[in-house]
Amino acid sequence: QVQLEESGPGLVKPSQTLSLTCTVSGGSISSADHFWGWVRQPPGKGLEWIGYINFRGSTFYNPTLKSRVATSVDTTKNQFSLTLASVTAADTAVYFCVRSVTTYRRFDYWGQGILVTVSS
Amino acid sequence: DIQMTQSPSSLSASVGDRVAITCRANQSIDIYLNWYQHKPGRAPQLLIYAASTLHSGVPSRFRGSGSGTDFSLTISSLQPDDFATYYCQQSYRTLFTFGPGTKVHVK
């Protein structure tokens, strides 16, 4: 059974960089059939796709966040990461890491989510 | 961006009820439509992909249908474990977008 688990600080100061890591177990991050991505949900709001990456490092990002987002993959640790620069209170959200299957690009596994609050 | 809408935004139902949720895209997305179930504090779960294909392990009481711009998720006989929020999501364009969600709560 594939499992994903997010980790990282729960509090980030405005203008700083948010950094999260997702650890994958029960499956290899080096699969050609999958992308590894991030979705967030601000309090009381809907889900927003942030972006994703495959094991070769090919990336796709939400254009509204593209100038501030970066993702990376560490195949040796079976992990992938998200950085979001210059954060504001609007970036406060629960951040989910997800696995996306290339066929129909469905998110078939999700992490439980981690709340990141942007506040001084 | 492809905009997704859902109706209703919430509904109250009882165990054993038949429940239907609709999802609409503002342009054709063929069958690139996925449904998820989300409970507070838990990882969202994929229910249906490609509009009507049941994800592995999902009970057969869940059914998805539709193509183009109009889709639906039906739960044939609501079970206690089904009280949750349901989201549709288009994967036709790489800027993936979700519907606002439908919360199914106890009547």
Side-chain angles (χ1 to χ4, degrees):
Chain A
Q1 175 79 347
V2 174
Q3 291 186 310
L4 287 75
E5 184 175 7
E6 305 89 351
S7 59
L11 181 64
V12 181
K13 288 182 168 49
S15 79
Q16 294 193 341
T17 296
L18 178 160
S19 296
L20 296 174
T21 297
C22 183
T23 301
V24 180
S25 57
S28 173
I29 205 167
S30 299
S31 164
D33 295 328
H34 300 105
F35 276 76
W36 306 90
W38 298 89
V39 173
R40 70 180 183 178
Q41 184 173 37
K45 296 188 177 181
L47 296 165
E48 179 182 36
W49 176 72
I50 298 171
Y52 64 11
I53 186 170
N54 70 2
F55 77 102
R56 295 188 182 91
S58 297
T59 57
F60 296 89
Y61 298 134
N62 188 323
T64 62
L65 299 169
K66 188 175 182 178
S67 63
R68 300 193 290 131
V69 169
T71 54
S72 61
V73 168
D74 186 336
T75 56
T76 64
K77 295 182 179 178
N78 226 35
Q79 293 176 334
F80 60 103
S81 298
L82 167 74
T83 60
L84 180 65
S86 305
V87 296
T88 70
D91 295 309
T92 294
V94 175
Y95 287 75
F96 298 96
C97 58
V98 299
R99 188 180 85 165
S100 175
V101 187
T102 53
T103 311
Y104 290 105
R105 303 189 291 185
R106 63 217 193 242
F107 302 143
D108 65 341
Y109 288 99
W110 297 60
Q112 201 163 323
I114 183 170
L115 173 62
V116 179
T117 301
V118 178
S119 174
S120 54
Chain B
D1 301 3
I2 298 177
Q3 307 299 324
M4 308 300 294
T5 57
Q6 286 181 238
S7 61
S9 57
S10 69
L11 67 90
S12 59
S14 301
V15 172
D17 285 353
R18 180 183 179 88
V19 168
I21 299 168
T22 62
C23 175
R24 178 166 289 174
N26 68 346
Q27 66 179 79
S28 177
I29 57 171
D30 194 2
I31 60 168
Y32 286 80
L33 191 283
N34 309 311
W35 289 97
Y36 303 89
Q37 178 193 70
H38 188 205
K39 299 176 183 177
R42 305 271 296 272
Q45 303 285 323
L46 174 66
L47 298 174
I48 304 278
Y49 65 93
S52 62
T53 302
L54 209 61
H55 179 55
S56 174
V58 174
S60 59
R61 64 181 180 271
F62 291 94
R63 180 177 176 272
S65 64
S67 66
T69 60
D70 295 317
F71 302 86
S72 66
L73 172 70
T74 303
I75 308 172
S76 60
S77 178
L78 198 68
Q79 297 302 300
D81 193 45
D82 300 339
F83 293 101
T85 300
Y86 294 84
Y87 294 94
C88 62
Q89 175 240 336
Q90 66 80 19
S91 57
Y92 185 75
R93 296 284 182 216
T94 305
L95 175 47
F96 306 125
T97 47
F98 293 85
T102 296
K103 185 173 182 178
V104 177
H105 56 90
V106 178
K107 182 181 286 183

